[in-house]
Structure formats: structure tokens, C-alpha cells
Amino acid sequence: MYRILLWAWLLWLASFSLAWAAPDRIPVRVGVADNSPIVTAAPGAPPEGIAIDVIRWVAEREGWQVTYVPDTFDNLLVRLDKGDIDLLTGIAYSDERAQRFRFSRQSLIGNWGMVFRHAAAPIDSLPDLKGKRVALMRGSTHSQALIELATQFDAPFVPVYVDTYSQVLQAIAERRADAGAVNRVFAALHAQEPDLAVTGIVFNPVFVHYAAPKHANPALLDALDRHLAALKADTGSAYYDSLRRWLEAAPDSRYPNWLPWAAAAGALLLVLSLAIAGFLRHQVQRQTGELQRRTDQLQSEIEQREQAQQHLNQLAYFDSLTGLPNREGFGIVLSQALATMQGSHERLALLFIDVDRLKTINDGLGHGAGDLLLQQIAMRLQSVLRAHDHLSRFGGDEFVVIVSEIGASSDAELVATRLLHSLAAPVDIGSTQIYTSASIGIALYPDDATSVDSLLKHADTAMYQAKEMGGNRFLFYHAQQTERVVERLTLDTRLRQALERDELVLHYQPIVELGSRKIVGTEALLRWNDPDRGMVMPGAFITAAEDTGLIVPLGEWVLDAGCTQMHEWQKQGKANGMTLAVNVSTRQFEGRRLVKSVEQALSRSGLAPECLELEITENVMLIMNDEVRDSLDILRGMGVRLSLDDFGTGYSSLSYLKELPFHSLKIDQSFVSKIPGQRGDSQIITTILALAKGFELEVIAEGIETPEQYDFLRDHGCEFGQGYLMSRPLPADTLAAILGQPLLAGNA
Ligand code: C2E
Ligand code: MG
Ligand code: MG
């Protein structure tokens, strides 16, 4: 006995402490207005309905502490504006409301307006409403829509405003109104009320959503969307249970109590009707006509419902910009594919595609151009896929392809190559030509993972790695890449420390006059001497530093250190007449900071402005605003040289090239690596050389690795070059040793 008591006491204690240990629930205030069966909010009773069932489902899983705020719909809209409630249930989507509130992406249900009339009122079609009293619910989109529709049909009526749909029917039953507008979901439950009849007026198809205040944290709606999408995707889910419960239930009590009497009268009528056959025939004809009309109405209702459902699916599973399946649509297809492949020996590849530099295009040319570009990219990608490959867009610049029925992994490689090739030609956006490329990560089923989530994660990881390697390439997933993702997360912190702890160093790569083989300048290239990992190349951290803005102090350090070193060499008589090229990121222009940084670096080091050359990538043209243009003019005015780096890989507008104060352009190594090669490839270089001559720009060829490339460039009038053939980037003291000597081809 004592033991039982002791156990009971311990259990009580445990449950008590568990209750205390439970995490705080998130308070969520939900506005409810009576709009049965989406929401039934009778005074004194907890709200019910389809929208409430879904909220409960989500609340349980998300740890929400829901408080319901009942009010009229009109008042709730005001409360939502003020942020007095966090969510409003059962609100129809309209463009005007979308300006005021944030809507769930998923709709709860498709709905439209219907008109009921009093059984004795001769109203069947829209023109019959003219001059009649029509009960309308305040604040409902259907109310406004019916007023507008009736005005268009020259049938203005007298609105009788009430607060709920039940009151609409009540007003008709009590003959305070001849007719009234309700939504079809409500209508489905009340079609049998005595004294009421349904008219053929059907209007204003809308979608019922949840809404939150415009500037609210999107987390609530995101959670709702996520759960609603999953619920809708499964016909056995609680969502469909709720629909069946609220839409299909037709309780007996709804049948009017005169029904048995009517049945008896009907039987009597039947006997009588046998005697008056002619009258009956007439009646049958009339009934048949009526039946036909009702059937037609039902048919059109079914069609509308199907259309609404289709539209709903379109919204839920497809991306509106490209028309491709979205993340949800993709999830369903991949889950099905994996389920059917289980136990078989089939393989599948997932290709995660990320468009390179889309952000720069959006920032520079505007989101309209970014959208057009994405549409073109979607078409190009689709055009090189087989019919049973599945392309979807995850939003932003991310696309995913499911390549099924692959044999060897080289099949996936082939698809990835075709996808990259499809983006090689420039895309015309209005009068502008934009060059795009993409980074692709590939994960294989079942080799790398067997679940949707892991496959996606691995393909994404491989994609990041491809991007870090400079983009425009594909990469298969390897387990070590996962470690790198974790690394990237801590990269920002570690880079900041690197700057403070003096772990950054500059290497210098000679720039050579091709004719004389003399060193005429040197490019400062940043390295990070990480105590754990050794020398880290800029490709591994510059993009991350640009994303976080750390590139600004980093760039200032490079300017200071580079100018100081160059001036030092000059003082030692080793670098007379030589220029120092420093790479600057477009982010350094923000707030005209670059001009100040350059002024400071020059004055601190004592280096003459003519000895400094700033290398700016072509993408600067994409953000060519007054700030950038003025900065370039001021810098040139100071005597600093400007050169356009990686020419040919990004976006170049020839008109800008003419207008902007650049001294030189650097042909990207991707072009140099192809020469002498095929005729088309060499022609690109000769065209760039001719173009540069036309604009009176000097040309520096990057990445010269072979004597053939060197000779070709020199023979075609390229004055300067840089590359492993002459010298790799070197630490300062190693370079100092060779300064002043001509660099012979082949001594790299
Ligand atoms: P970049 O400005 O185009 O620099 C040239 C890159 O090509 C350097 O790579 C250089 O080592 C490499 N290179 C030179 N000759 C050859 C060759 O013959 N063959 C091959 N395959 N490569 C060659 P690095 O040092 O890894 O720099 C990569 C990029 O990182 C640079 O491209 C530049 O965009 C960026 N970067 C480097 N330092 C800085 C910096 O201080 N600030 C900023 N914002 N970016 C930097
Ligand atoms: Mg450069
Ligand atoms: Mg370059």
C-alpha cells in the first residue's frame, strides 16, 4: 500500500515538474467572425469550423497558445490593421486587401457568392434584383462584388446590411429583405431552410485565406502555409476530414418539420393526378424543364469547382513566375519516385542549380529584368531535358532537376553539361545582353542518400562548393563537402579574427610587357594564412566577405598594405615606373567609401596616385549609379588608373565602355585558355583587342600558361600579360628578388 502511494506521489511529482519544464508556448491571437462553416463563432461558445480545425492542427504542432478574438468581420479588419490580432481566419483574397495585409500563400478553400431569395420573391437571375432589398454581410468581398455586378447589369438594388451570413438568411426569412448574398460554402449547409430558395445567381469566385498584419513576422503564416500544403497534399488528412465534416454533413434537423405532411399531401396529389392525366403531362414537362435547369446549374457549379481546384493546385504546387513546379510540387514528385524505386536497382540523380550572380543583376538592372532573365533561364533549362526529367524552381535563383532512370553517374554528368551549355549564349533582356552561368551540385540516389531531404541537402552542398570554385561548373557530392558547409558558417567570424590577428598576406603577380618581357607592374592578390588550414586562396572567402560586407575593411587593408609595399620597393629603387594593381569589390563603392580609402592609403604610404591601378570587375556596370560614376571620375581625377577586370565574363555595355574613365581592360583567363585553339575562340580575343584599340584602352591578358598563348597574344597586338608562364603570384620578398629582371617565357 505504502509503495503504491509512494509511486503515485512520484508520478505526480514527475508530471508536475514536466509541466514546468514544458517550453513557453507562442501566444497567437486569432480573429474570428461568424462565417459558417469556415468559422462558426456563436457568442459564449468556442469557435468551430474548417479554418479553426486547421488552426488547431497547426497550433498543436507549432506550440501556439491560441486566443480567439470574436468580433464582426468589419471590426476584425480594423484590428488586423492595428496589429491587435495576429491572424484573421477566413478572409477572401483581393489585390486591394493584399496591399493592407500579409496573406497566407495557401488558400483554405475556394469559394464564391450565391444569392438566396424568399420563396415568394420572383428573383431568379441578376436583372431580377433591380430595386429589390438585398441583405449583405458588412465587410464581405461578396457584398461589394454583388453591388458592382448588379450595377454593371443595370440592376441596382437596395442593400440591407447585417453582420453575419446567418443574419442574411434571417433577414430574408423575416421578409426584411427579398434576397441576400452568402458564400457557397455557407449555402451548401442552408439550402434546405424553409421559406428560402436558391437563385441561379452565382458570382465572384474567391479564395479564402488566413491574413496577418502587413509588417508582422512572417513565421506564423509560413507555418500555416507549410502545414496547409502538407494537409492538402494528403486526401486522408485532417483537412479533408474537416471539409467532409463541415461541408457534407446535412443533419436531419435541417429538414423542415412540415416535410412529413408535405409527403402525405404529395401522396394525395398522386392519387388525384391519376385522374387528371392531361394536367399531369403538362406538369411533367414543366418539372423536366426545371430539372434540366437545375442540372445545368449543378454542372456549371461542378465546372467552377473543378476550375477553382485547378487554380488552387496551380497556386499550391507551381511557381507563378516560370510556371514550373515549386518546392512543394517537387517534393511530391520526388517522394513518389523514391517510393516506386524502393527495392529496385534503379538510380536517380538530383541536380541543384543556382544561377550565378543573379543578385548583381537584380541590384543593377532591377527585379523586372531579374524576373525576365529567370523566365528565359527556365525555358533554356527545360529545352535540354528529356521528357521524363523533372525541372522545378525553388524560388530565388534556385532550380532543381530530377533525372530518373540513370545508369552510370556519367549520365548525370551529361545532363549537367547540357544544362550549363544551354546558358552559354547571352540572354536578351530588352536591348541589353546578359551573360549568365550556373553552379550545379549533383547528389545520387541511392549512392549518396535515400531520403528527399538528405538528397536535397547533399546536392545543395555540392552546388555551394561548385559556386565557391568560381561557378559555371557542376560538382558531385562528396561527404567531405558537408564539413565545408559547417566551415562556411563560421567563416565570417574567423575572417574577422584573421583581420585582427594579422593573418592576411598579399602575394604579387608580375604584369609583363609582352614585347620586351619586362615587368611593368604587379597585381596584389590576397591570401589568408590560416594557422589551421595553411594558405587559403581568395576564391574560398571573397564572396562570403562580399555577402557580409566584411570585404570593405578587408579591401582597405589590401590597399594600405599594397601601397606601403610598393612605395617601399620604389624607395629601394626596385620598382621605378611600376604600377601596383589592387582588386576592389563593387561593395567598396558604397557610401563613396572607396575614394576615402584610396586617399588614405596613398597619403599614409606616400605612393604616387599614378602608380596605383584599381581593378574593378565588369559587374560594376550593373550597379552604375551616380555614387559609382562620381567615385570613378574622382579617382581618375586624382590620377589613379582604372582597369576593368575579368573582361568578357560578366555584363558589359559598350556604351559604358566608351563613357567610363577606364585606362585598361583585362581579358579573362577563360578566353586566353582557349587560344590558339579553334578559330571562333581566337576570334573573341582578336575582337576584344580591336575593340580596346577603338576605345583607346590598354589590354592585359590574364592566365597565360603556354608559349603559344603568349606568342599569339603578342602577335595580335596585346601589349601586356600576366600568367603562370611568366610567374605565379609570389610572396613579397620572392618577387623583390626578380624585380628589374626581364621574365623569360618558361621560367614559371
Ligand atoms: P583576378 O583579379 O582575375 O586575379 C587573377 C587570378 O588568376 C589570381 O587568382 C591568379 O593567381 C590567377 N592566375 C594568374 N595567372 C594564372 C594562370 O596562368 N593560370 C591560372 N589558372 N590562373 C592564373 P587568385 O589569386 O586565386 O585570385 C582570384 C580572384 O580573387 C581574383 O581574380 C580577384 O577577383 C579576387 N581577389 C584576389 N585578391 C583580392 C582582393 O584583395 N580584393 C578583392 N576584392 N578581390 C580579390
Ligand atoms: Mg584582378
Ligand atoms: Mg581577372
Side-chain angles (χ1 to χ4, degrees):
M1 180 66 189
Y2 274 113
R3 279 173 60 173
I4 294 173
L5 275 176
L6 185 69
W7 272 111
W9 183 74
L10 279 174
L11 274 174
W12 177 80
L13 205 66
S15 62
F16 188 71
S17 55
L18 267 179
W20 275 102
D24 285 348
R25 295 170 74 80
I26 305 155
V28 179
R29 298 158 302 171
V30 178
V32 288
D34 198 30
N35 178 3
S36 174
I38 293 168
V39 180
T40 307
E48 292 184 299
I50 304 167
I52 302 298
D53 286 349
V54 171
I55 287 274
R56 280 208 192 103
W57 169 274
V58 179
E60 258 172 43
R61 278 148 193 87
E62 296 290 328
W64 292 354
Q65 179 74 53
V66 175
T67 335
Y68 293 103
V69 182
D71 206 336
T72 63
F73 190 69
D74 233 0
N75 287 348
L76 286 174
L77 292 179
V78 178
R79 283 182 190 248
L80 196 62
D81 259 332
K82 290 193 200 150
D84 287 352
I85 51 174
D86 304 303
L87 283 178
L88 177 56
T89 50
I91 172 169
Y93 179 90
S94 72
D95 288 343
E96 182 259 325
R97 281 180 178 168
Q99 306 268 324
R100 276 170 76 188
F101 312 119
R102 190 189 279 273
F103 273 80
S104 61
R105 276 179 287 117
Q106 294 284 334
S107 67
L108 180 70
I109 197 167
N111 207 351
W112 53 85
M114 292 185 79
V115 175
F116 272 65
R117 64 176 167 88
H118 191 273
I123 299 170
D124 235 331
S125 60
L126 199 65
D128 299 339
L129 288 180
K130 190 165 187 169
K132 300 284 187 322
R133 296 160 307 160
V134 179
L136 300 175
M137 175 167 122
R138 274 188 202 92
S140 154
T141 49
H142 294 314
S143 304
Q144 194 50 37
L146 186 61
I147 292 175
E148 281 165 18
L149 197 67
T151 317
Q152 276 170 22
F153 276 79
D154 191 32
F157 53 75
V158 183
V160 177
Y161 281 109
V162 293
D163 284 325
T164 63
Y165 280 141
S166 298
Q167 290 173 11
V168 168
L169 296 192
Q170 210 178 336
I172 306 172
E174 293 169 7
R175 304 229 63 177
R176 282 182 283 116
D178 305 300
V182 296
N183 68 40
R184 69 103 189 179
V185 179
F186 185 86
L189 292 182
H190 297 82
Q192 321 275 353
E193 302 271 7
D195 296 330
L196 294 182
V198 181
T199 68
I201 308 168
V202 176
F203 63 99
N204 192 35
V206 291
F207 290 94
V208 178
H209 288 249
Y210 294 91
K214 187 82 190 167
H215 300 293
N217 178 348
L220 287 185
L221 286 182
D222 285 351
L224 263 172
D225 276 328
R226 206 166 1 93
H227 286 287
L228 206 45
L231 287 168
K232 289 203 280 190
D234 173 10
T235 48
S237 71
Y239 170 76
Y240 287 95
D241 287 345
S242 176
L243 289 190
R244 278 189 281 275
R245 178 169 159 227
W246 293 103
L247 297 185
E248 289 170 14
D252 292 345
S253 61
R254 287 215 171 79
Y255 289 115
N257 44 17
W258 44 260
L259 198 65
W261 295 103
L268 192 66
L269 207 72
L270 194 70
V271 175
L272 281 175
S273 65
L274 282 171
I276 42 172
F279 178 69
L280 185 69
R281 192 174 301 121
H282 170 74
Q283 279 291 80
V284 167
Q285 274 169 357
R286 203 176 64 78
Q287 294 283 359
T288 311
E290 175 66 11
L291 209 63
Q292 186 60 45
R293 198 180 66 75
R294 294 271 163 178
T295 311
D296 290 348
Q297 190 179 327
L298 202 67
Q299 184 62 34
S300 106
E301 195 172 311
I302 289 169
E303 277 165 18
Q304 283 197 36
R305 188 193 287 236
E306 275 171 1
Q307 271 175 12
Q309 190 59 45
Q310 260 176 19
H311 188 67
L312 213 72
N313 286 344
Q314 190 71 25
L315 286 181
Y317 301 119
F318 291 86
D319 162 48
S320 56
L321 181 68
T322 58
L324 292 174
N326 60 14
R327 189 183 272 266
E328 263 116 28
F330 156 86
I332 292 171
V333 173
L334 185 60
S335 311
Q336 280 168 355
L338 296 188
T340 50
M341 283 167 67
Q342 231 170 26
S344 75
H345 294 291
E346 281 178 54
R347 294 170 88 194
L348 168 154
L350 204 68
L351 275 59
F352 203 111
I353 308 171
D354 190 285
V355 180
D356 299 328
R357 294 186 301 272
L358 186 75
K359 189 178 170 310
T360 331
I361 291 160
N362 270 338
D363 290 352
L365 296 179
H367 284 268
D371 284 355
L372 285 174
L373 182 66
L374 281 168
Q375 285 170 337
Q376 296 277 338
I377 288 175
M379 281 194 277
R380 291 211 185 163
L381 297 177
Q382 187 78 72
S383 71
V384 296
L385 291 173
R386 301 168 303 174
H388 53 274
D389 297 333
H390 181 272
L391 174 68
S392 50
R393 177 177 172 234
F394 271 29
D397 48 8
E398 295 171 348
F399 294 85
V400 176
V401 184
I402 306 170
V403 184
S404 41
E405 295 172 25
I406 61 160
S409 57
S410 56
D411 291 350
E413 203 171 312
L414 212 69
V415 178
T417 313
R418 279 210 308 267
L419 290 168
L420 289 178
H421 277 312
S422 76
L423 302 180
V427 179
D428 290 322
I429 302 293
S431 58
T432 310
Q433 282 205 324
I434 295 181
Y435 285 85
T436 63
S437 59
S439 306
I440 303 182
I442 308 174
L444 298 173
Y445 169 95
D447 315 52
D448 297 326
T450 50
S451 74
V452 173
D453 285 350
S454 311
L455 275 170
L456 254 183
K457 212 166 73 198
H458 291 346
D460 185 33
T461 304
M463 181 280 291
Y464 257 104
Q465 178 98 47
K467 195 161 272 263
E468 268 185 11
M469 291 169 73
N472 196 19
R473 70 188 69 214
F474 64 83
L475 218 59
F476 280 93
Y477 171 75
H478 296 294
Q480 300 92 305
Q481 290 168 355
T482 305
E483 292 163 24
R484 291 186 55 88
V485 173
V486 179
E487 260 176 36
R488 200 172 47 240
L489 294 176
T490 53
L491 184 63
D492 182 52
T493 327
R494 293 177 49 206
L495 253 181
R496 277 174 207 278
Q497 286 171 352
L499 192 59
E500 285 160 17
R501 296 178 187 169
D502 245 2
E503 290 169 9
L504 300 175
V505 275
L506 288 179
H507 280 188
Y508 297 88
Q509 186 177 33
I511 298 173
V512 174
E513 193 179 29
L514 297 182
S516 64
R517 300 187 190 279
K518 272 194 194 145
I519 302 178
V520 290
T522 171
E523 178 176 5
L525 292 158
L526 187 56
R527 288 354 176 199
W528 170 14
N529 196 358
D530 184 358
D532 299 334
R533 295 187 296 174
M535 207 56 100
V536 186
M537 302 302 273
F541 60 86
I542 291 284
T543 317
E546 283 181 330
D547 286 347
T548 59
L550 189 65
I551 192 69
V552 177
L554 254 157
E556 284 172 1
W557 180 87
V558 173
L559 272 168
D560 273 340
C563 291
T564 308
Q565 178 63 72
M566 192 55 163
H567 191 56
E568 194 58 35
W569 281 330
Q570 287 181 346
K571 279 196 294 191
Q572 296 167 7
K574 289 182 176 160
N576 291 335
M578 269 176 53
T579 52
L580 169 81
V582 171
N583 293 285
V584 293
S585 156
T586 46
R587 290 213 62 175
Q588 290 174 259
F589 284 93
E590 288 168 16
R592 295 171 204 261
R593 189 136 162 196
L594 183 62
V595 176
K596 283 175 225 139
S597 322
V598 169
E599 276 170 353
Q600 264 179 16
L602 290 175
S603 73
R604 268 189 224 151
S605 63
L607 187 72
E610 303 75 55
C611 298
L612 178 63
E613 178 157 312
L614 299 179
E615 290 192 7
I616 303 156
T617 61
E618 248 182 324
N619 287 332
V620 75
M621 304 236 184
L622 287 173
I623 53 157
M624 194 48 71
N625 50 32
D626 288 348
E627 202 168 66
V628 176
R629 191 181 281 258
D630 290 352
S631 301
L632 291 175
D633 285 338
I634 295 171
L635 288 164
R636 172 143 190 165
M638 283 161 59
V640 173
R641 294 172 53 89
L642 301 171
S643 108
L644 204 53
D645 203 354
D646 300 345
F647 187 80
T649 57
Y651 162 78
S652 275
S653 156
L654 292 184
S655 59
Y656 273 150
L657 206 56
K658 201 167 68 187
E659 280 170 35
L660 291 175
F662 284 96
H663 294 83
S664 56
L665 57 85
K666 299 187 81 171
I667 303 182
D668 190 67
Q669 47 179 284
S670 57
F671 298 109
V672 174
S673 67
K674 289 193 188 117
I675 52 167
Q678 288 172 0
R679 204 167 145 257
D681 295 327
S682 315
Q683 240 170 14
I684 296 183
I685 300 258
T686 46
T687 311
I688 296 177
L689 288 170
L691 191 89
K693 200 167 252 162
F695 291 136
E696 293 175 357
L697 292 168
E698 286 174 4
V699 181
I700 304 153
E702 291 186 283
I704 304 178
E705 291 183 350
T706 66
E708 290 78 22
Q709 290 165 353
Y710 188 105
D711 293 343
F712 179 94
L713 287 159
R714 186 201 46 215
D715 297 346
H716 285 82
C718 177
E719 260 184 292
F720 304 101
Q722 181 182 350
Y724 292 172
L725 178 70
M726 293 83 90
S727 167
R728 286 182 178 259
L730 302 168
D733 44 1
T734 320
L735 180 74
I738 57 166
L739 280 180
Q741 305 169 13
L743 281 180
L744 293 173
N747 72 345

